[in-house]
Amino acid sequence: MRIRFAFLSGTFFLLAGAASAEDGRFMWSGDWYLKVGATGFTGPKYEGASDRMFQAAPMVSLGKAGSSVRFSSRNDNMSYAILDQGGFRAGVVGKLLFERDEDKSSDLKGLDPVKFGGEVGGFAEVYPTDWMRLRAEVRQGIRTHHGVVADVAADAFVDVSDTVRVSGGPRLTAATSDYFDTYYGVNNRESAASGLSAYDPGGGIQSAGLGAAITWQATEKLETSAYTEYRRLMGPAADSSLVRERGSRNQLLVGVSATYRFDFTLP
């Protein structure tokens, strides 16, 4: 069984409120928490793959104690809230992207490798009710691709007990043609080398799906969860020869995770 270790696109909440000059405190002063842990899951070997593999990844989350974050999802990327009004938050967001080549799957033989890089942009989230959060992210690719990616998600959440929370909701991802060309395009040279049909994608919706999670606060500092995510590839992704000839439009991920919280104070 092949295990791939990588940084998970988890939540990185840096909610440092501006401090007044009179009290001599800095914006980083106060009580903070650091959550560290790991997740193990089974999912597609690459975006659009039909074969699955077991993967493991570390999880890291940093935040300021007493922040107004009511809910967070494993799908949230690293973010910094510039505007935080409780029911509405907005700020900057980033995501790490890792290389993809034929070592990951023989399906990719003959295709240009995808470089390590990332995406940066902005996010906004709103709580229309006490039990639902709507979140959107728009990110520009750096090095890995040069497209723009947008994620939209709605999560309903309910505390079934003092220590157990159940959550879930729909997800939608769209992107521009430069993103699809990197992950799903096949030019004439790659077609000759890989045996796949040539494919030049445009922009559009990449996938739609559902996600759900059960989170258990085992102790005051130890949190565990079980989760599943299903995505149906659409548009330029579903039409790709890589997906049609070697992969699958159905993408399912199932996993478990555990994190431990460390509390500390900065002067």
Side-chain angles (χ1 to χ4, degrees):
M1 181 179 296
R2 182 182 176 193
I3 302 177
R4 177 173 64 89
F5 289 91
F7 286 108
L8 185 68
S9 301
T11 309
F12 180 84
F13 290 111
L14 185 58
L15 304 176
S20 63
E22 290 79 3
D23 60 14
R25 291 167 63 84
F26 299 99
M27 63 180 297
W28 58 79
S29 300
D31 297 327
W32 291 78
Y33 66 82
L34 174 66
K35 292 182 179 180
V36 295
T39 180
F41 54 95
T42 61
K45 287 186 175 182
Y46 59 88
E47 286 191 3
S50 58
D51 293 334
R52 300 165 60 80
M53 64 182 290
F54 178 78
Q55 305 174 59
M59 299 180 69
V60 180
S61 176
L62 177 68
K64 198 165 187 181
S67 69
S68 61
V69 178
R70 304 181 199 171
F71 174 81
S72 63
S73 165
R74 62 171 300 276
N75 296 301
D76 298 348
N77 289 297
M78 299 178 291
S79 56
Y80 174 25
I82 298 174
L83 177 63
D84 189 344
Q85 297 182 338
F88 176 79
R89 301 174 66 246
V92 296
V93 66
K95 180 178 181 179
L96 290 175
L97 299 175
F98 292 85
E99 64 273 8
R100 188 197 74 177
D101 55 32
E102 61 185 51
D103 290 338
K104 187 176 296 296
S105 171
S106 59
D107 293 350
L108 304 171
K109 188 174 182 179
L111 300 181
D112 291 340
V114 175
K115 300 177 181 178
F116 172 85
E119 296 168 350
V120 295
F123 83 96
E125 62 183 36
V126 63
Y127 293 84
T129 70
D130 290 336
W131 49 267
M132 177 175 287
R133 187 197 68 168
L134 307 177
R135 180 179 171 106
E137 297 182 7
V138 179
R139 307 179 303 272
Q140 169 68 54
I142 298 175
R143 193 171 186 268
T144 301
H145 66 85
H146 300 289
V148 176
V149 181
D151 290 327
V152 180
D155 285 280
F157 53 94
V158 59
D159 295 327
V160 297
S161 74
D162 292 339
T163 58
V164 177
R165 168 173 285 183
V166 177
S167 61
R171 287 89 169 88
L172 183 72
T173 298
T176 59
S177 58
D178 285 337
Y179 169 84
F180 286 109
D181 186 58
T182 297
Y183 285 97
Y184 298 96
V186 182
N187 59 35
N188 291 331
R189 176 180 52 78
E190 291 175 308
S191 176
S194 67
L196 292 168
S197 302
Y199 177 64
D200 184 18
I205 295 177
Q206 188 229 24
S207 65
L210 294 169
I214 300 175
T215 302
W216 175 40
Q217 195 73 40
T219 69
E220 181 184 358
K221 295 178 181 285
L222 177 62
E223 181 179 280
T224 64
S225 69
Y227 56 86
T228 183
E229 296 278 340
Y230 169 76
R231 295 190 303 146
R232 175 77 170 175
L233 297 183
M234 304 174 69
D239 294 338
S240 170
S241 55
L242 177 61
V243 176
R244 289 187 292 103
E245 298 173 16
R246 296 181 182 172
S248 172
R249 295 180 65 182
N250 299 306
Q251 305 283 284
L252 178 66
L253 185 149
V254 179
V256 294
S257 67
T259 59
Y260 189 85
R261 190 187 81 236
F262 297 91
D263 299 317
F264 61 96
T265 302
L266 294 178

